[in-house]
Each structure stands twice: as structure tokens, then as C-alpha cells.
Amino acid sequence: FRDKKRILHLFDVDTQTRTTLVDCCSYAQWVPGSDVIVAQNRDNMCIWYNTKVTDQITIKEIHGEIEGIERSSGKTEVLVDEGTCVSSHILVEELIQFGTAIDLGDYSHAIQILES
């Protein structure tokens, strides 16, 4: 959740613990059909491919505001409005699929992803 001070938190219902992910958060969204989080902190796009290890974050510099996330045809894109145009930033689909396979207990699919 994002609080009034624009700080993004991840709350673990099982353990009743809260982890602060990022401050000055202007955008936060789950990638549809996965446990991947995309957020914007100032001029950075922050991606958590594994929410169980929140200190492993992928940060990409962007120039504009994140508009949304589109997922289709085996590709996940983050759309960024740069003022004069909208740019697309491709996420690592293998990391998204691997995390989903592990969460679903589909270990044979997870192994296939690692081997490819």
C-alpha cells in the first residue's frame, strides 16, 4: 500500500509485518497475473521481481511518468509518458514467469525456464 506521505509499503498478511519499499512514490502497480511490483520514485522505475526478497530491486532511469502496464503475447511493457511521446520499457518476462511458477508450485515449469 502507499500511504499519505507517498511511501510504498509491502504488508505480509501471514507474518503481520510491513516492509518499506520506496519513498516519494508517484505510481505503484502489480504486474497483472504475477507477484511483480512496478513503482515510480522520482525519475526511477523500480521493479521487484521477487517480493520475498525486497532488497533485490531493479532500477531503471526514466524520463516522464509511468502510465500503466500492458501484458500480452508473452511480453510485459511499462508505458511511460515522456511529454511528447509514450515510450515502452520491456520487463524480463523470464523472471516474471519463474516467480509465478514457483508461487504456483509448478517446479517443472520453473526448471524449464531456467534451462532455456
Side-chain angles (χ1 to χ4, degrees):
F1 69 93
R2 188 173 60 182
D3 66 16
K4 292 179 185 180
K5 296 178 184 176
R6 296 179 15 161
I7 299 173
L8 182 62
H9 304 275
L10 183 64
F11 186 77
D12 186 328
V13 176
D14 294 333
T15 62
Q16 296 291 303
T17 57
R18 179 180 67 180
T19 305
T20 300
L21 297 178
V22 70
D23 63 351
C24 297
C25 180
S26 59
Y27 177 91
Q29 183 67 46
W30 293 98
V31 171
S34 76
D35 279 344
V36 176
I37 300 171
V38 175
Q40 181 170 354
N41 164 276
R42 297 181 179 93
D43 291 333
N44 296 310
M45 175 172 53
C46 305
I47 307 154
W48 289 268
Y49 287 103
N50 183 352
T51 57
K52 292 173 181 59
V53 187
T54 56
D55 60 338
Q56 291 181 358
I57 178 175
T58 301
I59 299 175
K60 294 183 179 184
E61 186 176 346
I62 57 174
H63 303 286
E65 300 296 320
I66 297 177
E67 280 191 345
I69 301 170
E70 290 185 1
R71 192 163 191 209
S72 64
S73 304
K75 179 169 74 169
T76 304
E77 300 176 86
V78 178
L79 304 175
V80 178
D81 182 353
E82 295 181 345
T84 57
C85 66
V86 175
S87 65
S88 172
H89 297 265
I90 308 294
L91 299 184
V92 182
E93 194 64 31
E94 293 81 7
L95 290 176
I96 297 171
Q97 290 178 1
F98 180 78
T100 301
I102 294 295
D103 288 342
L104 295 175
D106 188 355
Y107 302 117
S108 61
H109 186 234
I111 290 170
Q112 288 174 347
I113 293 168
L114 290 175
E115 290 175 343
S116 64

